[in-house]
Amino acid sequence: MDPLDRIDEIISMVETARSVPMSRTNFMFDRGEMVAILDELRAELPGDLRRAGALLEERDKIIDAGKREADRIIGEGETEHARLVSVNEITVSAEHEGARIIAEARAEAQRLREEVDDYVDTALANFEQFLTRALGSIERGRDKMHALREIGTFQGEDHERPLPF
Protein backbone atom coordinates (compact mmCIF):
# COMPACT_ATOMS: atom_id res chain seq x y z
CA MET A 1 0.00 0.00 0.00
CA ASP A 2 1.16 3.54 -0.71
CA PRO A 3 2.57 5.37 2.35
CA LEU A 4 0.17 8.26 1.79
CA ASP A 5 -2.73 5.80 1.81
CA ARG A 6 -1.39 4.42 5.10
CA ILE A 7 -1.27 7.91 6.58
CA ASP A 8 -4.84 8.54 5.37
CA GLU A 9 -5.88 5.24 7.05
CA ILE A 10 -4.27 6.30 10.35
CA ILE A 11 -6.01 9.70 10.22
CA SER A 12 -9.32 7.98 9.55
CA MET A 13 -8.76 5.63 12.50
CA VAL A 14 -7.95 8.59 14.79
CA GLU A 15 -11.03 10.47 13.61
CA THR A 16 -13.28 7.47 14.23
CA ALA A 17 -11.70 6.43 17.55
CA ARG A 18 -13.71 6.67 20.72
CA SER A 19 -13.08 9.71 22.90
CA VAL A 20 -11.86 9.38 26.43
CA PRO A 21 -14.70 10.17 28.81
CA MET A 22 -14.75 13.81 29.84
CA SER A 23 -12.26 14.88 27.14
CA ARG A 24 -12.75 16.19 23.67
CA THR A 25 -9.10 15.96 22.57
CA ASN A 26 -8.04 12.58 23.94
CA PHE A 27 -9.13 9.34 22.38
CA MET A 28 -8.83 5.62 22.95
CA PHE A 29 -7.09 3.43 20.49
CA ASP A 30 -5.69 -0.08 20.45
CA ARG A 31 -1.99 0.39 21.00
CA GLY A 32 -0.96 -2.85 19.27
CA GLU A 33 -3.00 -2.07 16.19
CA MET A 34 -1.54 1.46 15.97
CA VAL A 35 2.03 0.16 16.42
CA ALA A 36 1.48 -2.49 13.72
CA ILE A 37 0.16 0.13 11.26
CA LEU A 38 3.05 2.51 12.02
CA ASP A 39 5.60 -0.35 11.61
CA GLU A 40 4.13 -1.14 8.19
CA LEU A 41 4.36 2.55 7.30
CA ARG A 42 7.98 2.67 8.49
CA ALA A 43 8.83 -0.40 6.40
CA GLU A 44 7.26 1.14 3.28
CA LEU A 45 8.74 4.59 3.73
CA PRO A 46 12.47 3.80 3.31
CA GLY A 47 11.94 2.30 -0.15
CA ASP A 48 9.72 5.19 -1.21
CA LEU A 49 12.10 7.71 0.34
CA ARG A 50 15.04 6.09 -1.46
CA ARG A 51 13.11 6.19 -4.74
CA ALA A 52 12.15 9.82 -4.09
CA GLY A 53 15.76 10.65 -3.19
CA ALA A 54 16.99 8.92 -6.34
CA LEU A 55 14.39 10.80 -8.39
CA LEU A 56 15.49 14.08 -6.80
CA GLU A 57 19.15 13.27 -7.52
CA GLU A 58 18.30 12.38 -11.10
CA ARG A 59 16.29 15.58 -11.42
CA ASP A 60 19.23 17.60 -10.05
CA LYS A 61 21.59 15.89 -12.51
CA ILE A 62 19.25 16.66 -15.41
CA ILE A 63 18.89 20.28 -14.26
CA ASP A 64 22.68 20.62 -13.89
CA ALA A 65 23.25 19.09 -17.32
CA GLY A 66 20.63 21.45 -18.76
CA LYS A 67 22.31 24.44 -17.11
CA ARG A 68 25.72 23.38 -18.41
CA GLU A 69 24.30 22.94 -21.91
CA ALA A 70 22.51 26.30 -21.68
CA ASP A 71 25.75 27.96 -20.49
CA ARG A 72 27.66 26.30 -23.34
CA ILE A 73 25.08 27.43 -25.91
CA ILE A 74 25.05 30.96 -24.45
CA GLY A 75 28.87 31.04 -24.49
CA GLU A 76 28.94 29.89 -28.13
CA GLY A 77 26.28 32.46 -28.98
CA GLU A 78 28.23 35.24 -27.30
CA THR A 79 31.43 34.14 -29.07
CA GLU A 80 29.66 34.03 -32.43
CA HIS A 81 28.04 37.40 -31.71
CA ALA A 82 31.43 38.92 -30.87
CA ARG A 83 32.93 37.39 -34.02
CA LEU A 84 30.12 38.71 -36.20
CA VAL A 85 30.33 42.15 -34.62
CA SER A 86 34.09 42.11 -35.12
CA VAL A 87 33.71 40.98 -38.75
CA ASN A 88 31.05 43.63 -39.28
CA GLU A 89 33.23 46.33 -37.69
CA ILE A 90 36.17 45.24 -39.84
CA THR A 91 33.98 45.26 -42.94
CA VAL A 92 32.55 48.68 -42.14
CA SER A 93 36.03 50.01 -41.34
CA ALA A 94 37.40 48.56 -44.57
CA GLU A 95 34.53 50.04 -46.58
CA HIS A 96 35.15 53.46 -45.01
CA GLU A 97 38.89 53.19 -45.67
CA GLY A 98 38.23 52.05 -49.24
CA ALA A 99 35.86 54.96 -49.84
CA ARG A 100 38.43 57.37 -48.38
CA ILE A 101 41.21 55.97 -50.61
CA ILE A 102 38.98 56.15 -53.71
CA ALA A 103 38.00 59.75 -52.88
CA GLU A 104 41.68 60.68 -52.42
CA ALA A 105 42.59 58.96 -55.70
CA ARG A 106 39.81 60.78 -57.57
CA ALA A 107 40.87 64.11 -56.07
CA GLU A 108 44.51 63.43 -57.00
CA ALA A 109 43.50 62.40 -60.53
CA GLN A 110 41.44 65.59 -60.92
CA ARG A 111 44.34 67.69 -59.59
CA LEU A 112 46.76 66.01 -62.03
CA ARG A 113 44.29 66.49 -64.91
CA GLU A 114 44.02 70.18 -64.10
CA GLU A 115 47.80 70.47 -63.75
CA VAL A 116 48.36 68.74 -67.11
CA ASP A 117 45.68 70.91 -68.74
CA ASP A 118 47.40 74.03 -67.38
CA TYR A 119 50.81 72.82 -68.60
CA VAL A 120 49.51 71.96 -72.08
CA ASP A 121 47.63 75.28 -72.27
CA THR A 122 50.81 77.17 -71.29
CA ALA A 123 52.90 75.19 -73.79
CA LEU A 124 50.40 75.82 -76.57
CA ALA A 125 50.21 79.52 -75.68
CA ASN A 126 54.03 79.76 -75.83
CA PHE A 127 54.06 77.87 -79.11
CA GLU A 128 51.34 80.19 -80.44
CA GLN A 129 53.44 83.23 -79.47
CA PHE A 130 56.49 81.68 -81.13
CA LEU A 131 54.52 80.94 -84.28
CA THR A 132 52.99 84.42 -84.23
CA ARG A 133 56.49 85.98 -83.99
CA ALA A 134 57.78 83.63 -86.66
CA LEU A 135 54.83 84.44 -88.89
CA GLY A 136 55.46 88.13 -88.29
CA SER A 137 59.13 87.68 -89.24
CA ILE A 138 58.14 85.76 -92.33
CA GLU A 139 55.64 88.43 -93.35
CA ARG A 140 58.22 91.20 -92.77
CA GLY A 141 60.78 89.24 -94.79
CA ARG A 142 58.36 88.76 -97.65
CA ASP A 143 57.37 92.40 -97.49
CA LYS A 144 61.05 93.45 -97.71
CA MET A 145 61.58 91.06 -100.56
CA HIS A 146 58.63 92.54 -102.46
CA ALA A 147 59.76 96.06 -101.65
CA LEU A 148 63.26 95.37 -102.88
CA ARG A 149 61.96 93.80 -106.01
CA GLU A 150 59.85 96.84 -106.72
CA ILE A 151 62.66 99.29 -106.25
CA GLY A 152 64.83 97.19 -108.44
CA THR A 153 67.60 96.05 -106.20
CA PHE A 154 67.77 92.81 -108.03
CA GLN A 155 68.72 94.42 -111.38
CA GLY A 156 72.06 93.85 -113.10
CA GLU A 157 74.81 95.95 -111.52
CA ASP A 158 74.15 95.47 -107.85
CA HIS A 159 75.02 91.77 -108.01
CA GLU A 160 78.03 92.25 -105.94
CA ARG A 161 76.38 93.91 -103.04
CA PRO A 162 75.03 91.74 -100.20
CA LEU A 163 71.34 91.61 -99.76
CA PRO A 164 70.01 93.85 -96.96
CA PHE A 165 68.07 91.32 -95.13
Side-chain angles (χ1 to χ4, degrees):
M1 180 180 265
D2 182 38
L4 293 177
D5 291 338
R6 288 272 183 218
I7 292 172
D8 288 341
E9 181 182 340
I10 292 171
I11 290 172
S12 174
M13 290 172 72
V14 168
E15 288 174 345
T16 58
R18 289 189 351 215
S19 296
V20 173
M22 307 285 275
S23 171
R24 289 186 335 174
T25 58
N26 296 330
F27 60 92
M28 295 174 69
F29 198 72
D30 183 349
R31 187 178 305 219
E33 187 181 354
M34 180 60 78
V35 169
I37 292 172
L38 290 173
D39 280 341
E40 287 175 14
L41 180 61
R42 184 182 332 161
E44 291 172 3
L45 279 178
D48 288 342
L49 288 176
R50 278 191 290 280
R51 281 194 301 274
L55 286 174
L56 288 174
E57 283 181 36
E58 184 65 24
R59 181 202 68 175
D60 290 343
K61 287 178 185 176
I62 291 170
I63 288 172
D64 288 343
K67 285 180 181 178
R68 283 192 305 275
E69 180 67 13
D71 290 343
R72 184 189 66 76
I73 290 170
I74 289 170
E76 287 177 2
E78 288 172 346
T79 301
E80 181 66 9
H81 176 263
R83 186 188 70 77
L84 290 174
V85 166
S86 175
V87 166
N88 187 42
E89 287 174 355
I90 291 169
T91 301
V92 167
S93 177
E95 286 173 352
H96 287 308
E97 182 66 12
R100 184 190 63 77
I101 289 170
I102 288 171
E104 284 179 7
R106 285 185 176 148
E108 180 67 9
Q110 182 63 32
R111 187 189 65 75
L112 289 173
R113 243 185 255 115
E114 290 170 0
E115 193 174 295
V116 166
D117 286 349
D118 289 345
Y119 173 78
V120 168
D121 185 51
T122 301
L124 288 174
N126 289 339
F127 189 57
E128 180 183 25
Q129 288 176 355
F130 171 76
L131 289 177
T132 302
R133 283 193 304 266
L135 186 58
S137 291
I138 291 170
E139 283 180 18
R140 282 191 305 276
R142 287 185 70 206
D143 288 343
K144 277 186 183 181
M145 185 181 75
H146 288 291
L148 288 173
R149 202 182 268 168
E150 283 183 18
I151 59 170
T153 333
F154 290 118
Q155 296 173 354
E157 65 213 35
D158 288 347
H159 288 346
E160 313 292 322
R161 228 174 9 152
L163 294 175
F165 59 93

